[in-house]
């Protein structure tokens, strides 16, 4: 499809700049006035100067209140909040000890970070937003659709916290992924009534409710594939991470004959750990020999445009196509967020979908808070418009020599500049640093809001002993380019420090689909040359003898699927949330992956 034309402003007019000031001021006041009375705001040492300034001034003066916020509230990180969050996990947990901890009342759920880097899990309380925001795209786990949507949803949760309330009752708070929490909140689905909804099948979805409770990784994908293939009316495919769609397609290919036979006969396959979920699923699947015959004629995934042959009404694919999914889509189709990679080859998702299907980003945000939504007047795959819905976003200039506490407002941004987002959220985070780097593409002409593209993690590169840091974008671009020319189709990859020789270097661990190229060993030299061209520090370190060529080791087929399944089983994180980091720091995972090496180039 043709790239949409954009008409972004390169700079803000005085009128738009003033309009943005009012927009940010109003949004900030709504959040910080409400959360100022929270336990965190009253007790955190980081906010002591802010509290003192408010006490000495006129707290009812909005302009003075905002000036004190901007002058006295420092940037924060997770460690500031950890001791306050820990109170929710105490046993017993009394309502008086945690009520109004970060925002008024009690959280609806706790959102888990996905632990991409291998570090310990972070949890963030999520409070129910005002009713008028519940239908905003940032909160909708399943946006409305006029047709049928393939959007596998797991309701798997890590644990349930019990809060003993003052009235003698207790409140259960689920610890789960952000998407699961938003889905449960939107549908008012409490965990205690999960088994009473087993017969439910929401209109417009391919998957009956019971599939969302399946715990087995394989069974979850096989059953979603079964019901999706049985319905030719699919118009939209939604996967939070596009690489999960690739996993879905792998299961479709591996189980093709079984799936088609089950559709023909109207039976649920013999997959593990179904138990009481089998009966409600069986009642939703009827024999369909005509559909089975149609699928047999089309065949399993492989041909270009396979998806539109299976689902003739398919028009749109929505998913994060950067980061863990970038090896599955071309550079032109990338979106943003959370540990994103920035290049790819041409086969897999776009090959499977075909040229008629629009690819769109679901937006940009994190477990901590939402930042931007898809900018449809630009490139819907990469362009994202900053909005203040559950958070107000300020920015740090990553190229500035000023102190890191110099926080910029949206009207102070410059087109082409690189910035780190800083969030103040409805859920009680105060100037929280995300650690990402975005670039401002321009400003929307109607309201002046910045339109941004995600670049990479600010400290996502692997710091070598020789003192240089290549960004995730650079590290990804060079291996994807080399693989496309010499090795073959990348299924996935990660990078570890290779210290088998001195000095330490970037060690690529790569899984390839299909045959390995006959001249695959040329990839190491190309990766080295491209990295030399991309990063001045690396080039200088090499010529000074402080750096050596990167290494590339190929892993056994299926390694990263097993990695995801192990992580899912070990952490109880949602199936859709498991990601492979660009740079791996977890020593246990590193050692396991190294055991899967089959070839070194």
């Amino acid at each position: 499809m043709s790239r949409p034309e954009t008409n972004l402003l390169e700079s803000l007019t005085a009128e738009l700049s003033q309009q943005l000031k009012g927009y940010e001021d109003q949004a900030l006041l709504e959040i910080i006035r409400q959360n100022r009375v929270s336990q965190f705001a009253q007790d955190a040492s980081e906010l002591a100067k802010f509290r003192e300034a408010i006490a000495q001034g006129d707290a009812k003066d909005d302009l003075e209140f905002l000036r004190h916020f901007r002058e006295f509230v420092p940037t924060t990180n997770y460690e500031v909040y950890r001791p306050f969050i820990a109170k929710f996990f105490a046993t017993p947990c009394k309502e008086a000890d945690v009520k109004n901890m970060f925002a008024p009342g009690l959280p609806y759920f706790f959102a888990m970070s996905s632990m991409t880097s291998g570090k310990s899990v972070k949890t963030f309380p999520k409070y129910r937003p005002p009713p008028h925001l519940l239908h905003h795209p940032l909160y909708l786990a399943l946006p409305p659709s006029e047709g049928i949507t393939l959007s596998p949803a797991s309701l798997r949760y890590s644990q349930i916290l019990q809060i003993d309330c003052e009235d003698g009752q207790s409140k259960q708070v689920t610890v789960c992924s952000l998407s699961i929490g938003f889905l449960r909140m939107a549908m008012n689905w409490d965990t205690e009534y999960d088994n009473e909804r087993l017969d439910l099948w929401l209109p417009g979805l391919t998957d009956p409710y019971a599939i969302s409770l399946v715990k087995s990784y394989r069974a979850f994908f096989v059953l979603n594939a079964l019901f999706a293939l049985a319905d030719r009316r699919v118009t939209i495919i939604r996967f939070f991470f596009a690489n999960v769609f690739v996993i879905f397609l792998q299961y479709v290919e591996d189980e093709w004959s079984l799936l088609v036979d089950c559709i023909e006969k109207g039976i649920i396959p013999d997959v593990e750990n179904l138990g009481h979920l089998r009966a409600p699923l069986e009642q939703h699947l009827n024999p369909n020999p005509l559909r089975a015959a149609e699928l047999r004629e089309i065949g399993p995934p492989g041909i270009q445009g396979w998806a539109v042959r299976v689902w003739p009404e398919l028009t749109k694919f929505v998913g994060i196509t950067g980061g863990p999914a970038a090896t599955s889509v071309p550079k032109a189709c990338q979106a943003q967020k959370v540990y994103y990679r920035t290049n790819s080859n041409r086969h897999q998702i776009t090959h499977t979908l075909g040229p008629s299907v629009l690819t769109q980003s679901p937006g940009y945000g994190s477990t901590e808070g939402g930042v931007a939504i898809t900018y449809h007047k630009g490139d819907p795959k990469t362009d994202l418009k900053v909005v203040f819905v559950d958070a107000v976003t300020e920015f740090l200039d990553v190229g500035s020599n000023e102190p890191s506490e110099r926080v910029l407002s949206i009207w102070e941004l410059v087109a082409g500049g690189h910035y780190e987002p800083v969030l103040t959220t409805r859920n009680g985070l105060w100037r929280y640093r995300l650690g990402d780097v975005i670039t401002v593409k321009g400003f929307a002409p109607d309201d002046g809001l910045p339109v941004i593209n995600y670049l990479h993690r600010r400290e996502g590169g692997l710091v070598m002993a020789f003192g240089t840091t290549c960004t995730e974008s650079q590290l990804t671009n060079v291996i994807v380019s080399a693989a496309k020319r010499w090795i073959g189709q990348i299924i996935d990859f990660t990078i570890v420090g290779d210290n088998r020789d001195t000095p330490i270097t970037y060690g690529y661990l790569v899984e390839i689909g299909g045959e390995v190229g006959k001249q695959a060993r040329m990839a190491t030299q190309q990766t080295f040359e491209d990295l030399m061209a991309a990063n001045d520090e690396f080039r200088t370190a090499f010529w000074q003898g402080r750096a050596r060529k990167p290494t590339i080791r190929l892993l056994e087929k299926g390694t990263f699927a097993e990695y995801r399944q192990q992580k899912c089983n070990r952490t109880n994180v949602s199936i859709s949330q498991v990601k492979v980091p660009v740079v791996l720091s977890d020593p246990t995972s590193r050692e396991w992956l190294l055991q899967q090496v089959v070839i070194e180039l």
Side-chain angles (χ1 to χ4, degrees), residues 218-227 251 255 258-259 269 271:
R218 173 178 175 270
F220 178 82
F221 282 105
V222 170
L223 291 172
N224 269 289
L226 174 68
F227 280 89
Y251 278 100
E255 307 290 350
L258 171 65
L259 292 169
V271 289

Side-chain angles (χ1 to χ4, degrees), residues 534-548:
N535 190 284
D536 292 339
E537 290 183 0
F538 181 85
R539 182 170 61 252
T540 300
F542 178 80
W543 290 119
Q544 292 178 350
R546 295 182 291 110
R548 62 185 173 96

